[in-house]
Amino acid sequence: MILLDKALLFQKFVKFTTSVHQLTHEITMGVREDTITPLQYSILEYVAVTGLVTPSQISDCLYISLPNTSREIKKLAQKGLCEKYTAPEDRRMQYIRLTDQGEVMMNKAFATIEARFWERAGHMSAEELAEIEQAIELLKSKVFHDRQPL
């Protein structure tokens, strides 16, 4: 039987998530084009990673009000970076997706982020990279799975 110190596990989890935030900040620094705000970049990044999303999903994920989300989406649409898509099965449903220009911008940002990732991880063996991939999959399935916000 394995004895688990839940308080210690939670402390490690908090330290880990803080490290993830710090690393995210480091490897994404400077990837945002000057034509968009940090919030607009976050919206584009979320749409790029998630695919078709509703404004309310963006609002929930990024912890911003729906009116602010709608305003920022409108600004991004005016810049030609995203567009609204009406669902053919339910014309009341509107989704947000990247335009070709938005995809180009995000692909450029992700290429920079990937290069920075490999600067940190490129020295690792294939076995170590496989262990990291397994750890990520385990965390995704057990802790970071899709759920309603708390």
Side-chain angles (χ1 to χ4, degrees):
M1 181 171 144
I2 298 175
L3 293 175
L4 178 66
D5 184 339
K6 289 184 176 183
L8 180 60
L9 176 61
F10 178 71
Q11 290 170 2
K12 286 182 178 186
F13 174 75
V14 170
K15 286 180 182 178
F16 172 74
T17 56
T18 299
S19 296
V20 168
H21 288 296
Q22 289 171 338
L23 177 61
T24 300
H25 175 72
E26 288 174 23
I27 67 173
T28 60
M29 191 179 302
V31 299
R32 174 183 57 84
E33 292 190 11
D34 293 336
T35 58
I36 61 172
T37 67
L39 178 57
Q40 290 169 347
Y41 174 82
S42 295
I43 291 170
L44 292 175
E45 184 180 67
Y46 179 69
V47 174
V49 170
T50 309
L52 284 178
V53 292
T54 64
S56 61
Q57 288 172 311
I58 294 170
S59 175
D60 289 345
C61 178
L62 299 179
Y63 301 104
I64 54 178
S65 70
L66 194 52
N68 285 347
T69 302
S70 296
R71 184 181 65 245
E72 295 303 325
I73 290 168
K74 183 177 179 180
K75 290 177 185 178
L76 288 167
Q78 289 170 343
K79 293 177 185 190
L81 300 173
C82 71
E83 62 189 0
K84 288 184 179 177
Y85 169 78
T86 302
E89 68 278 358
D90 183 352
R91 310 254 334 132
R92 297 170 297 169
M93 251 346 236
Q94 295 234 312
Y95 293 98
I96 307 303
R97 63 181 173 196
L98 296 181
T99 61
D100 290 343
Q101 184 180 346
E103 285 187 30
V104 167
M105 178 186 282
M106 293 312 299
N107 287 341
K108 183 179 171 186
F110 288 144
T112 301
I113 294 166
E114 181 179 8
R116 290 176 182 171
F117 170 78
W118 288 116
E119 285 174 12
R120 290 177 154 269
H123 68 282
M124 294 181 199
S125 69
E127 292 80 19
E128 289 171 316
L129 292 172
E131 287 176 357
I132 290 171
E133 183 179 19
Q134 289 173 347
I136 290 169
E137 291 302 320
L138 181 64
L139 284 169
K140 262 178 59 180
S141 69
K142 301 295 182 183
V143 179
F144 294 106
H145 46 83
D146 292 331
R147 287 196 136 154
Q148 293 296 329
L150 298 175

